[in-house]
Amino acid sequence: MSLQSKLDAFKADFEAGKPPYNVPPSVIETMRRATAELIASGAATRALKAGDQAPPFTLNDPDGNPVSSAALLARGPLVVSFYRGVWCPYCNMELQALQAALPAFEALGASLVAISPQLPVNSRKSVRQNALSFPILSDTRNDVAAAFGLRFELPGYLVDLYKSLKNDLPAFNGDQSWTLPMPARYVVAPDGTILYAEVNPDYTRRPEPEDMVPALRRAARVAS
């Protein structure tokens, strides 16, 4: 089953109010409203695209070790996935799909990292729950997400909803800003050029990991 098919099946159950979430229709409508407004804002069109230069970054892994994009790119192409947090089931399913695709990425000489605003303790939980062998890097205040054009501020009514659901982003992230990255995935060539970019303001829609393989092959040819 494709990643999007899994996401669609989960979404259907979630929006139908099935256990374990048992979400009432009013919550679904609020989430749909926020997604529609983010799409209408055009924010995704302002994010970095293929052909742009990826901003360099150095972020800590879950154990507090600094990981730099420059060091990773010195070894080959880099796959970067921007991840909302361990509380997002759609993101967790995406991480699992990326983990399954990791051998194919590595066979092409690529590294893979996920970037999230969450605190390291929550990244460790993500790694453990999703059985990941690649790191989730902590992007405090979504600064790297902002450099890629992905950071957005949640509207007040969505903040109120998150609070009512005990989804306390300031506690998860150690940051009071109530900002998130739009889910995004990039392939960056060793020279820093973005070869593939997919940004979707609808967090329930994600591309298939294999969609990145042609860009990774191009990067491998250039590197050789």
Side-chain angles (χ1 to χ4, degrees):
M1 183 183 291
S2 70
L3 170 60
Q4 191 58 55
S5 295
K6 292 178 182 177
L7 297 176
D8 289 343
F10 172 83
K11 182 179 180 180
D13 287 347
F14 181 80
E15 294 191 344
K18 293 184 178 180
Y21 293 95
N22 305 307
V23 178
S26 60
V27 168
I28 301 302
E29 288 307 313
T30 299
M31 292 177 171
R32 286 176 175 170
R33 174 189 171 189
T35 298
E37 289 178 356
L38 185 58
I39 293 170
S41 75
T45 66
R46 296 187 286 275
L48 294 185
K49 300 174 178 62
D52 292 334
Q53 283 294 118
F57 58 82
T58 300
L59 298 171
N60 287 342
D61 70 11
D63 297 319
N65 303 308
V67 176
S68 79
S69 57
L72 294 173
L73 290 170
R75 291 160 32 189
L78 177 61
V79 177
V80 181
S81 177
F82 283 87
Y83 168 70
R84 286 153 40 107
V86 67
W87 50 269
C88 174
Y90 297 94
C91 294
N92 291 323
M93 284 187 274
E94 179 182 23
L95 290 184
Q96 293 164 20
L98 288 170
Q99 176 64 39
L102 183 58
F105 299 163
E106 292 178 337
L108 293 167
S111 302
L112 167 63
V113 298
I115 295 178
S116 167
Q118 67 190 2
L119 292 168
V121 64
N122 293 313
S123 292
R124 288 194 293 272
K125 184 178 179 181
S126 293
V127 169
R128 185 173 63 253
Q129 288 186 348
N130 295 298
L132 306 180
S133 59
F134 61 90
I136 298 177
L137 308 180
S138 292
D139 180 20
T140 307
R141 297 180 300 276
N142 281 298
D143 288 338
V144 174
F148 277 80
L150 304 172
R151 183 174 64 190
F152 71 98
E153 186 173 351
L154 275 64
Y157 65 84
L158 190 59
V159 171
D160 292 340
L161 175 63
Y162 274 34
K163 288 178 178 177
S164 73
L165 297 174
K166 304 295 188 289
N167 191 4
D168 187 350
L169 292 189
F172 274 112
N173 299 341
D175 168 37
Q176 299 298 314
S177 69
W178 285 96
T179 63
L180 286 174
M182 287 180 286
R185 202 178 294 155
Y186 290 93
V187 172
V188 184
D191 68 357
T193 303
I194 295 173
L195 301 179
Y196 171 98
E198 202 285 337
V199 181
N200 201 322
D202 181 349
Y203 61 89
T204 71
R205 307 291 303 176
R206 312 291 171 105
E208 303 302 319
E210 55 265 30
D211 292 351
M212 291 181 289
V213 169
L216 289 172
R217 288 181 176 143
R218 289 199 306 275
R221 287 197 298 270
V222 170
S224 61

